[in-house]
Amino acid sequence: MENSNNPENLKETIKGFLNTHRKAVFAILDKQGFPTTSLMLYAIDDELNVYFGTRRSFGKYADIRKQPVVSLSVVEEVLDPRAVVDMRGITIEVPDEECGTTCSFFKTKNPSKYYIDEAEDFVMFKIVPNFIRFADSRSGELKIADLPMVSAPSL
């Protein structure tokens, strides 16, 4: 992890890592307050905001609306993961009138097959991160760096 002490270099390293992956494990709290996870397709913008879609009829929609703080992990998909990005942030529902544009942006960044975007109750969310950590052992030595957050949203 070159120049992990330089926040701009670290941000670019994290952005490059996230842009080369397509799936993240999202953790939310369910209606009973228990943690639950799901594998989700995602895309990021230049500010490391994370976008994902779901359906209003899915349980995670109500859970996220009730408790908008989510965590996610993107792991290098090899036998021995050598790099991972962990994030936490606040979810913001993308307004219906912006959903089509946001979904188009998403598809340019993540070409994976998307199964739910044609559903009538399809909705997109944006996660504004307030914590990002990059752990990297590709050099043979584990290095962990937290990206300083300039303006972290709160509830």
Side-chain angles (χ1 to χ4, degrees):
M1 192 176 345
E2 287 184 34
N3 298 318
S4 63
N5 292 332
N6 180 321
E8 198 53 42
N9 288 349
L10 179 58
K11 180 180 178 181
E12 290 304 312
T13 298
I14 291 169
K15 190 186 310 180
F17 180 84
L18 292 173
N19 276 326
T20 60
H21 294 81
R22 305 287 180 247
K23 297 172 285 215
V25 176
F26 283 71
I28 63 173
L29 296 176
D30 68 14
K31 59 185 159 233
Q32 288 90 22
F34 294 112
T36 185
T37 60
S38 60
L39 185 64
M40 302 283 288
L41 300 175
Y42 74 91
I44 63 164
D45 64 19
D46 287 338
E47 298 306 312
L48 300 175
N49 295 306
V50 178
Y51 297 85
F52 70 96
T54 190
R55 293 180 60 181
R56 287 183 173 104
S57 59
F58 289 174
K60 76 173 68 68
Y61 177 79
D63 296 339
I64 290 169
R65 297 282 299 182
K66 181 178 177 184
Q67 175 52 268
V69 177
V70 301
S71 293
L72 64 99
S73 294
V74 178
V75 179
E76 186 174 43
E77 295 183 35
V78 294
L79 181 61
D80 294 318
R82 297 175 298 168
V84 61
V85 170
D86 291 315
M87 301 175 86
R88 180 178 53 245
I90 306 297
T91 56
I92 301 168
E93 186 173 343
V94 174
D96 287 341
E97 62 272 11
E98 296 174 21
C99 193
T101 304
T102 303
C103 189
S104 294
F105 162 78
F106 179 96
K107 289 179 178 181
T108 66
K109 301 279 285 183
N110 190 330
S112 300
K113 178 153 179 55
Y114 214 35
Y115 294 95
I116 62 170
D117 59 316
E118 297 298 323
E120 287 184 26
D121 65 342
F122 177 74
V123 63
M124 294 208 74
F125 282 96
K126 170 180 161 180
I127 301 171
V128 180
N130 56 26
F131 173 82
I132 302 175
R133 173 172 287 159
F134 187 51
D136 186 358
S137 65
R138 292 175 287 191
S139 69
E141 176 186 344
L142 178 61
K143 296 178 184 173
I144 299 172
D146 294 347
L147 183 66
M149 304 307 296
V150 177
S151 59
S154 58
L155 292 176

